[in-house]
Amino acid sequence: MSPSVKPPFQNRLLTPIQYVKGVGPKLAALFGKKGIYTVEDALYFLPRAYEDRRSIKKIAELKVGHKEASLGEIFLSEMVFYQNQRKRVFEVMVKDGSGVILLKWFHGNERYLRERFKKGRRILFSGEVRWFHGHKEIHHPDVEMIEGEVDQDSLNFNRIVPIYSEIEGLYQRTLRRLMKRILEEYAPYLESPIPAEIQEAQGLIDFREAFRRVHFPPNEESLKRLNLFQSEGHRRIIFDEFFFLELGLAIKKRQVTLEKGISFKTDGPLLQKGLSQLPFSLTSAQERVLKEILEDMERPHPMNRLIQGDVGSGKTIVALLASLPVFECGYQVAIMAPTEVLAEQHYSTASRWITPLGIRIVLLTSHVKGLERERIYRQIRRGEIQMVIGTHAIIQEEVEFHRLGFAIIDEQHKFGVIQRGLLRKKGVNPDILVMTATPIPRTLAMTVYGDLDLSIIDEMPPGRMPIETRVFSESSRARVYRILKEELQKGRQAFIVYPLVEESEKLDLRDATRMAEHLQREVFPDHRVGLLHGRMKGEEKEAIMKEFKEGKIHLLVATTVIEVGIDIPNASVMVVEHAERFGLSQLHQLRGRIGRGNHPSKCILIAPYRISEEARIRLQAMERTTDGFQIAEEDLELRGPGEFFGVRQSGLPDFRVGRLIRDSAILMEARREAFRLVDMDPQLLSPSHHPLRAALMDRWKGRLELATIG
Ligand code: ADP
Ligand code: MG
């Protein structure tokens, strides 16, 4: 486009929807409720489905139970009163020579309807055909008046018609008209400068054309593919989204892997010694992952690897083993955990396995204060301490390492990329290992952690006791208490988890605080009941957790604060109250707190009798499987990536059209092309890639550092 015809807005796509002819402030407010503020948002508001109105049938041919379109002449229209149902219905009778059909409106302005549906007029109509007392009818049909000949350019008939998701107060017809206008005026400003070679290799159609076709498909499109979001237009738009994401990730990853890192010698005796001290042998998944890590550590570039594995799959042990060569090479190791309890747990594990090898370890949390803290800082700085385990206290400015060579981050989704960066800076390009207990489907992992290499521990250590999961309704509460009592009498411990801390005004939730008191006094007077919730101070929480760990508290009533990695092998029952209110991954995380010892465990999900269909699917999934990956896939399908753990936090864009699981084939292709491109031109410096570079910077909005073009 030459500068002289450049529009007044820097980017015309950001024109507020209000300024589109025919919109105005009132309609703009309606669009706003759907998150549509600019014309670009509107262009990305793709139809949720398509209806086939290409062929207009005779009334006699209309099939009951199908969505059909037809045309005819009005020969009767009137408001009808149904005494017995006390209902007013506006009815229009239409004929076409082949048959008769009745169109009904159960609400609407009578004067308007009368005016519109005058006897003798010809109309096009469509909707689901019903059978009622021996005749066909359609309720609230989509209707268009015919003046003279049938309009060949109609947006609503004689074509595949887009169905948009409902915008309250806006008719589909109005939406279609506005969409058409927006497409005509603004689609020319859409850009997706994917190199021609890639477009060709991938058989991609023109980007602007893709939007036109997706909103108003040409008649030869396949209705089935459209409805599956698999038309060429859909593919082009989704490819664009994924490609620019992957391109950014490829560049990030490339930058890191080109940097100089530490090349560790990993075949020293310490690792062998450590392995021989373990009272068990590694699972083959652990062995494989340990090997992947060690290979990375040998390379002269920084490692950036994610270990993914279900709770209890043995990630921590693998990470600790991988630390051994680091000590041997004279470097330090840091482990950062999201909570103090978890940090302490890692500390005690490490003390058990690592300290006997002559390695000095310290626990650094916010509890360590004053002189003690100063002393620890000094020892870390001088390299007298080789392993530092702690919370985010580790990334405080005052903490200086002597030679940090390896950083382990547990439960990544609680931290995010920024903290990862801060920890990295404590050393000189140390190797980084991220552990996550939230199993993430591979497709999602490739995007959320797209700049990391992925290792998966998909096997549990042998001898795990099974967890039986069952859904109980509110009315079976007495039985639930009996089960609890039995376990407590056997010396086991139990969790009861609540969604909220205090009773909200409207919701009839059992409040954790009151419930704890009730359980203590009336149900389990012979056992000690403890309470843990998010509004407690950190120290209070720690104290309670400690008592529970030490077996002084038998029954712990808690909100979801117990979610993360806590290891209480003696806990064998978990009751989740209002289980229907929890997400699937969250339920799975919670359940991971039990089944960690030598006792078969029970997970009891209490839910009301009446719950939503989606909630039912979640609870059934919990009953069916304990496989975290399977659960994660189902969860991603149910909720979409935006809601999935940590995706928001990670600073990645939400997809407007693409869906990771549905469109995983496109994602793989986009990733392959993007990575190949970055292999050839790591900073996109070749002149032919300048438009691509500009588009990339725009999409990533400052989250990507690129070398400046000299
Ligand atoms: P994660 O960090 O994945 O939650 P951990 O490394 O904490 O798992 O291991 C969970 C428990 O299983 C620990 O008590 C650990 O000692 C034990 N464990 C780990 N690997 C094995 C194995 N291969 N065989 C038997 N037990 C194991
Ligand atoms: Mg762990």
Side-chain angles (χ1 to χ4, degrees):
M1 205 186 319
S2 76
S4 57
V5 295
K6 233 190 173 130
F9 287 92
Q10 180 74 313
N11 180 352
R12 286 284 300 267
L13 293 173
L14 300 182
T15 306
I17 186 111
Q18 176 173 345
Y19 300 137
V20 173
K21 192 163 158 279
V23 178
K26 243 164 107 184
L27 288 192
L30 297 179
F31 276 109
K33 282 192 193 153
K34 277 273 177 192
I36 301 168
Y37 303 105
T38 64
V39 296
E40 184 176 46
D41 295 336
L43 290 168
Y44 274 96
F45 186 63
L46 303 191
R48 70 170 167 77
Y50 298 85
E51 221 174 276
D52 193 354
R53 297 188 197 163
R54 280 174 294 196
S55 71
I56 297 199
K57 292 187 176 168
K58 292 224 177 317
I59 291 175
E61 296 164 356
L62 299 182
K63 283 208 193 93
V64 173
H66 288 238
K67 283 201 166 153
E68 304 268 36
S70 181
L71 137 180
E73 184 188 317
I74 299 175
F75 70 97
L76 198 81
S77 74
E78 59 185 353
M79 185 61 85
V80 181
F81 298 88
Y82 288 92
Q83 283 290 353
N84 52 348
Q85 297 165 46
R86 278 193 252 135
K87 243 195 241 160
R88 292 153 53 84
V89 181
F90 191 77
E91 300 190 346
V92 173
M93 195 96 78
V94 180
K95 62 174 184 185
D96 71 346
S98 79
V100 174
I101 190 164
L102 192 60
L103 310 180
K104 287 183 171 178
W105 282 262
F106 294 89
H107 39 78
N109 182 307
E110 180 177 346
R111 259 194 38 211
Y112 168 77
L113 290 167
R114 272 188 196 291
E115 189 57 38
R116 191 151 184 249
F117 298 107
K118 281 207 173 114
K119 194 177 156 186
R121 282 196 156 167
R122 294 210 305 143
I123 60 173
L124 281 158
F125 55 90
S126 78
E128 188 180 330
V129 181
R130 302 159 180 256
W131 188 250
F132 187 71
H133 287 311
H135 67 265
K136 288 173 190 168
E137 55 182 52
I138 298 178
H139 300 172
H140 297 276
D142 215 355
V143 175
E144 187 159 314
M145 297 297 157
I146 306 171
E147 324 272 354
E149 284 305 295
V150 173
D151 185 359
Q152 290 302 317
D153 287 339
S154 167
L155 297 179
N156 305 298
F157 287 94
N158 272 328
R159 57 155 59 243
I160 296 173
V161 176
I163 311 291
Y164 294 95
S165 87
E166 207 75 39
I167 295 185
E168 211 186 309
L170 264 184
Y171 289 111
Q172 290 286 329
R173 308 167 42 80
T174 317
L175 253 174
R176 283 177 207 133
R177 204 180 60 234
L178 293 174
M179 280 300 188
K180 184 75 176 174
R181 188 168 294 156
I182 293 169
L183 273 168
E184 275 165 8
E185 224 168 300
Y186 296 95
Y189 299 101
L190 287 162
E191 279 180 90
S192 170
I194 295 176
E197 314 87 76
I198 295 179
Q199 300 214 35
E200 216 162 284
Q202 291 289 333
L204 299 178
I205 63 170
D206 177 75
F207 193 53
R208 296 156 192 175
E209 181 61 18
F211 279 85
R212 293 189 192 106
R213 285 203 210 169
V214 159
H215 283 282
F216 295 101
N219 275 352
E220 59 277 13
E221 282 281 6
S222 144
L223 197 76
K224 194 169 148 221
R225 289 168 65 106
L226 280 168
N227 275 319
L228 290 170
F229 278 59
Q230 282 175 358
S231 74
E232 288 305 310
H234 285 106
R235 189 171 124 77
R236 177 63 180 88
I237 296 169
I238 294 166
F239 192 94
D240 171 83
E241 278 194 311
F242 288 160
F243 181 78
F244 281 99
L245 171 75
E246 293 296 338
L247 192 60
L249 292 172
I251 289 171
K252 274 189 161 185
K253 183 163 176 179
R254 175 87 186 196
Q255 282 168 348
V256 174
T257 51
L258 284 181
E259 277 168 33
K260 206 173 142 29
I262 308 155
S263 170
F264 291 104
K265 212 170 105 36
T266 66
D267 53 3
L270 198 62
L271 179 57
Q272 289 317 315
K273 202 168 161 197
L275 276 168
S276 67
Q277 280 185 4
L278 288 180
F280 46 74
S281 47
L282 296 182
T283 63
S284 55
Q286 283 173 312
E287 265 178 24
R288 169 171 41 79
V289 168
L290 180 60
K291 189 160 158 273
E292 286 167 359
I293 296 170
L294 295 177
E295 278 170 9
D296 269 4
M297 296 176 87
E298 297 227 0
R299 292 204 185 96
H301 303 292
M303 164 169 76
N304 270 288
R305 189 168 277 280
L306 175 72
I307 309 189
Q308 226 187 286
D310 218 338
V311 275
S313 62
K315 298 179 294 295
T316 310
I317 292 292
V318 169
L320 290 178
L321 288 168
S323 308
L324 299 178
V326 179
F327 304 129
E328 226 166 15
C329 296
Y331 285 87
Q332 290 165 299
V333 176
I335 302 184
M336 182 161 73
T339 65
E340 312 229 318
V341 175
L342 213 57
E344 270 176 37
Q345 200 169 283
H346 286 323
Y347 178 70
S348 80
T349 308
S351 303
R352 191 160 55 211
W353 302 119
I354 306 277
T355 309
L357 300 170
I359 305 297
R360 278 184 314 281
I361 308 178
V362 75
L363 178 66
L364 184 61
T365 66
S366 56
H367 288 316
V368 187
K369 295 208 168 88
L371 284 178
E372 172 70 359
R373 201 176 180 92
E374 293 301 318
R375 192 172 59 80
I376 289 178
Y377 283 171
R378 207 164 43 241
Q379 288 176 318
I380 297 174
R381 198 165 51 237
R382 289 185 186 153
E384 291 159 12
I385 283 171
Q386 288 136 299
M387 182 177 237
V388 183
I389 300 178
T391 54
H392 51 268
I394 292 187
I395 45 174
Q396 300 309 306
E397 231 171 281
E398 311 85 72
V399 183
E400 282 172 49
F401 283 83
H402 174 60
R403 286 221 293 178
L404 179 63
F406 185 35
I408 300 163
I409 305 176
D410 191 10
E411 309 284 357
Q412 160 79 0
H413 64 272
K414 304 282 174 188
F415 287 117
V417 272
I418 296 169
Q419 283 91 338
R420 210 206 297 164
L422 285 174
L423 189 52
R424 185 200 312 281
K425 294 213 168 75
K426 294 283 177 196
V428 183
N429 290 336
D431 282 345
I432 302 241
L433 187 65
V434 177
M435 306 194 285
T436 175
T438 312
I440 304 167
R442 191 175 267 279
T443 42
L444 184 56
M446 274 170 46
T447 56
V448 180
Y449 303 113
D451 54 336
L452 302 179
D453 291 304
L454 187 58
S455 286
I456 297 180
I457 303 188
D458 49 4
E459 183 185 351
M460 283 298 198
R464 271 304 135 100
M465 284 310 207
I467 303 177
E468 186 197 342
T469 302
R470 273 190 65 192
V471 179
F472 282 79
S473 72
E474 192 54 46
S475 57
S476 321
R477 184 167 289 280
R479 256 175 72 208
V480 172
Y481 289 160
R482 270 205 303 282
I483 296 172
L484 272 172
K485 200 165 266 172
E486 272 170 30
E487 292 290 314
L488 293 181
Q489 275 163 0
K490 277 190 253 168
R492 300 288 88 74
Q493 288 164 282
F495 295 99
I496 300 189
V497 183
Y498 287 84
L500 275 188
V501 182
E502 274 160 31
E503 207 159 48
S504 91
E505 301 155 349
K506 299 212 181 99
L507 302 172
D508 179 23
L509 283 182
R510 272 155 208 283
D511 157 61
T513 312
R514 273 189 18 215
M515 199 58 185
E517 285 168 17
H518 164 73
L519 289 173
Q520 178 70 84
R521 239 178 300 147
E522 279 140 63
V523 191
F524 303 104
D526 304 332
H527 294 99
R528 199 159 152 241
V529 178
L531 175 66
L532 185 73
H533 62 69
R535 304 234 183 116
M536 286 175 161
K537 287 215 190 70
E539 287 167 27
E540 258 180 296
K541 270 191 257 179
E542 300 284 316
I544 298 277
M545 267 329 290
K546 201 166 254 167
E547 281 189 83
F548 191 54
K549 240 184 144 151
E550 289 163 2
K552 292 176 189 157
I553 289 173
H554 309 109
L555 182 66
L556 186 62
V557 175
T559 58
T560 47
V561 291
I562 54 151
E563 199 179 321
V564 194
I566 289 161
D567 198 14
I568 316 272
N570 192 44
S572 65
V573 191
M574 170 166 291
V575 177
V576 182
E577 297 274 356
H578 282 288
E580 81 283 0
R581 288 171 196 264
F582 292 90
L584 195 46
S585 291
Q586 207 178 9
L587 285 173
H588 179 70
Q589 285 282 310
L590 285 170
R591 182 170 57 184
R593 304 300 117 234
I594 56 170
R596 297 173 80 92
N598 318 320
H599 320 287
S601 299
K602 292 191 173 72
C603 175
I604 295 171
L605 306 174
I606 300 187
Y609 186 68
R610 275 174 180 280
I611 51 174
S612 71
E613 180 60 21
E614 204 197 300
R616 171 118 10 241
I617 294 175
R618 285 200 299 268
L619 298 184
Q620 281 168 351
M622 287 295 292
E623 283 188 317
R624 194 173 54 244
T625 181
T626 49
D627 178 337
F629 285 96
Q630 211 172 319
I631 295 230
E633 295 256 341
E634 296 211 21
D635 202 20
L636 185 57
E637 267 304 299
L638 281 172
R639 286 195 298 167
E643 300 293 317
F644 203 86
F645 278 91
V647 182
R648 279 250 152 73
Q649 255 179 330
S650 67
L652 293 176
D654 259 336
F655 302 114
R656 287 190 277 201
V657 184
R659 295 243 305 267
L660 291 169
I661 290 189
R662 183 192 67 196
D663 306 319
S664 61
I666 303 177
L667 177 67
M668 301 294 178
E669 287 297 306
R671 180 176 173 87
R672 207 162 54 85
E673 295 288 6
F675 274 71
R676 193 153 60 194
L677 184 73
V678 169
D679 262 348
M680 294 184 309
D681 184 3
Q683 292 282 323
L684 307 181
L685 289 174
S686 109
S688 68
H689 291 153
H690 286 185
L692 186 63
R693 203 181 141 93
L696 182 70
M697 297 305 270
D698 184 50
R699 309 279 176 108
W700 276 69
K701 304 224 186 333
R703 288 184 303 247
L704 197 64
E705 284 172 38
L706 285 184
T708 46
I709 303 172

